[in-house]
Amino acid sequence: MVIETYKLIHTIKKMYPVVQFFKDRYFPDGKTYYSEKALIETKRGGRKVAPFVIPVVGGIVQDAEGYRAYEVKAPYIAPKMPITAEELELKTFGESPDSGRTPAQRENEIESEHMDDMRNAIYRRQELMCAEIITTGRLLMKHYGSAEDAVQDRNYKTQVLQFYEEGFQNKYAFEKDWNLMNAAEKIQEFYKIALILKKRGIRATDIVMTGDVSMQLMTDKDFLEFYNKIRVETGTIDQVQLPNGVTCNGDINVNGVIFKMFTYDEVYEDLDGTIKEFLPKGTIAFLHPGMGTTVYAQVSFVKGTSFVSYAERIVPRVVASEGDNIVEVQMFSRPVPYPLDWEGWMVSNIYDPVATSSNVEDINVLEEESLQEGVELKSEEEIQAMNKKADLIAYAESIGKSGLTTEMTLDELRTAVLNYQEETYGE
């Protein structure tokens, strides 16, 4: 049996990689710190322009926008699994009854199986931490002293990491009941969310939704027809790169904003044995790759008569107890996922109450800003009377429609402009 921790660390690194959707795409691994604390560094997305400066001045000081740095005590994840003499006398999973293998020969195999099981459990916890940040803007972590306490949800110490100050500002409430909206209204809501993020200096590229939301959209004939009207190419989907429970639905062009749509339906078994979803039903999240990172703190434990520390993402350990006649396989990890910009994403739920009047006013302001100042919408007769491609394309761009080219016929251009104007502005 391999018991040296440094060898076990390298063994874990060489194991078959596990794909984690939220963790790998939105909170990829960052630094590992030789401390029990991890450094969190965030910065607001900005849209300031550089000033013109008189040459002899040499430059004008520009303040850093919203930079924050915090040291936080990293949470502690530490599952363990025992190996008993009785277990070694039984055949392992998939082993032939007449294999003739000895307990000593089974020991390494059982050790590696336990390590892989715990590694996957740690990865699921990390995935759940990332999902919790996206949906609530905070991490509520309960540290238990025993397996019985974890199952009963009792006798725990609570640690909270909160990525907002005066309320969670990344939760979007729809203006109207989702089930009462037609396809055009739902698409307009997507665009309003993109505009909110745009004003924050963020460009959302992904729409991640749960299966119930995806089923509603992908069975809506009007929504599917929207693809045809704007000539969207869904592209090639490489399913090999996607983890279990995740499906890519292709790309959608919403008024020049390209979103890649994902359906996320993965579940996990909680500490009390119940099966739960990583994302609550009805969730729609507007994200972008690399919106956060995951840093790690060191792990320390007693070895012999002194403490040793390892600054690694996952630290395995094997401890033998002659008195109890068991060997314990342990794993430790101290991850801290966090968003690089506290306002860098939006999340909504189709089952939440609709927006209040104040929220609606704010949304309407954003909607009005999508029209350039001084531009008036043309009537259908005026659009049909336009006989130059350049004029149609220029008018389309003035009301927010992009992607039209002179390769299209006049009839195609007129139809695209009319469809867009009707869907976006109801004219």
Side-chain angles (χ1 to χ4, degrees):
M1 173 177 283
V2 180
I3 61 173
E4 295 86 355
T5 299
Y6 75 93
K7 289 184 179 179
L8 294 174
I9 290 173
H10 290 292
T11 300
I12 288 290
K13 290 179 178 179
K14 292 179 180 179
M15 282 186 171
Y16 187 80
V18 177
V19 180
Q20 302 165 268
F21 181 66
F22 283 129
K23 163 72 166 43
D24 292 343
R25 188 171 179 85
Y26 305 112
F27 297 87
D29 284 338
K31 297 179 181 178
T32 302
Y33 295 96
Y34 240 119
S35 167
E36 70 168 0
K37 294 185 177 180
L39 180 64
I40 290 179
E41 296 180 283
T42 65
K43 189 177 187 302
R44 291 184 60 189
R47 303 189 69 83
K48 283 186 178 179
V49 297
F52 292 106
V53 179
I54 300 172
V56 295
V57 172
I60 293 178
V61 175
Q62 184 168 326
D63 294 333
E65 291 189 59
Y67 174 78
R68 307 173 183 177
Y70 304 90
E71 276 191 341
V72 299
K73 187 174 182 179
Y76 214 76
I77 302 174
K80 62 182 181 181
M81 298 180 73
I83 300 176
T84 65
E86 181 182 4
E87 185 180 4
L88 295 177
E89 292 173 356
L90 302 174
K91 78 178 191 69
T92 59
F93 180 77
E95 180 184 341
S96 172
D98 57 353
S99 65
R101 299 176 68 195
T102 65
Q105 291 172 325
R106 295 190 181 109
E107 194 172 359
N108 283 337
E109 184 175 344
I110 293 176
E111 178 187 351
S112 63
E113 288 177 354
H114 286 355
M115 288 174 61
D116 192 43
D117 288 342
M118 289 187 289
R119 180 182 69 127
N120 283 304
I122 289 173
Y123 286 157
R124 280 189 288 271
R125 172 59 67 182
Q126 291 178 351
E127 185 81 346
L128 184 58
M129 293 170 77
C130 296
E132 188 175 348
I133 290 174
I134 290 170
T135 54
T136 68
R138 67 200 295 259
L139 283 174
L140 175 62
M141 296 163 289
K142 298 178 180 179
H143 292 72
Y144 301 94
S146 68
E148 292 76 14
D149 287 342
V151 172
Q152 298 295 327
D153 193 26
R154 66 188 183 190
N155 302 329
Y156 54 81
K157 291 184 177 179
T158 301
Q159 181 180 358
V160 179
L161 290 180
Q162 185 168 289
F163 303 105
Y164 58 84
E165 291 176 346
E166 298 178 359
F168 185 42
Q169 301 298 318
N170 299 350
K171 192 69 180 286
Y172 179 87
F174 293 120
E175 183 178 346
K176 184 178 178 181
D177 188 318
W178 174 268
N179 294 317
L180 299 179
M181 284 191 276
N182 57 37
E185 290 172 327
K186 292 174 181 176
I187 292 167
Q188 287 180 51
E189 290 292 294
F190 290 174
Y191 186 59
K192 292 174 188 176
I193 293 172
L195 284 177
I196 292 174
L197 289 173
K198 183 179 179 181
K199 289 178 72 69
R200 297 178 179 180
I202 302 297
R203 182 179 178 274
T205 60
D206 296 355
I207 298 178
V208 181
M209 51 193 153
T210 49
D212 52 338
V213 180
S214 176
M215 180 62 70
Q216 288 189 27
L217 291 177
M218 296 305 158
T219 57
D220 187 332
K221 293 182 179 179
D222 291 335
F223 183 82
L224 296 178
E225 180 65 19
F226 179 74
Y227 282 85
N228 297 329
K229 288 181 179 178
I230 62 174
R231 299 168 173 264
V232 171
E233 298 292 339
T234 57
T236 302
I237 307 305
D238 187 356
Q239 297 286 359
V240 177
Q241 304 259 334
L242 297 177
N244 293 333
V246 183
T247 304
C248 184
N249 302 105
D251 298 339
I252 181 172
N253 184 332
V254 181
N255 194 24
V257 181
I258 308 299
F259 291 110
K260 187 174 291 293
M261 297 189 296
F262 294 95
T263 300
Y264 188 92
D265 259 345
E266 185 66 345
V267 297
Y268 66 96
E269 183 179 338
D270 206 352
L271 300 176
D272 60 2
T274 58
I275 303 299
K276 299 180 180 179
E277 294 89 2
F278 280 93
L279 285 182
K281 288 188 179 299
T283 298
I284 308 178
F286 292 75
L287 316 170
H288 59 95
M291 57 176 271
T293 187
T294 302
V295 295
Y296 298 82
Q298 73 178 13
V299 172
S300 299
F301 47 73
V302 174
K303 184 176 182 181
T305 58
S306 61
F307 281 89
V308 293
S309 299
Y310 298 90
E312 299 286 346
R313 294 178 176 88
I314 296 180
V315 179
R317 183 190 187 197
V318 176
V319 179
S321 173
E322 294 184 6
D324 295 328
N325 199 31
I326 65 170
V327 172
E328 277 190 350
V329 183
Q330 305 171 349
M331 274 199 178
F332 304 86
S333 185
R334 305 192 69 180
V336 183
Y338 68 91
L340 298 176
D341 184 344
W342 289 15
E343 298 180 340
W345 76 98
M346 294 293 289
V347 64
S348 189
N349 196 294
I350 65 173
Y351 304 120
D352 283 349
V354 298
T356 61
S357 58
S358 60
N359 289 333
V360 172
E361 288 174 3
D362 293 339
I363 294 170
N364 287 338
V365 169
L366 291 174
E367 183 180 13
E368 290 169 4
E369 289 179 357
S370 65
L371 279 173
Q372 294 184 14
E373 184 178 357
V375 173
E376 295 182 358
L377 295 177
K378 296 182 181 296
S379 66
E380 180 177 354
E381 292 74 16
E382 290 175 316
I383 294 172
Q384 293 290 2
M386 299 173 71
N387 293 316
K388 293 183 179 180
K389 294 182 179 181
D391 292 343
L392 282 163
I393 294 173
Y395 173 68
E397 292 178 348
S398 73
I399 62 172
K401 172 64 177 173
S402 59
L404 303 184
T405 68
T406 55
E407 296 178 358
M408 301 172 66
T409 66
L410 280 170
D411 287 339
E412 288 175 335
L413 289 169
R414 294 189 189 102
T415 300
V417 172
L418 288 169
N419 287 336
Y420 173 80
Q421 185 165 290
E422 180 180 356
E423 292 168 357
T424 307
Y425 307 109
E427 294 291 338

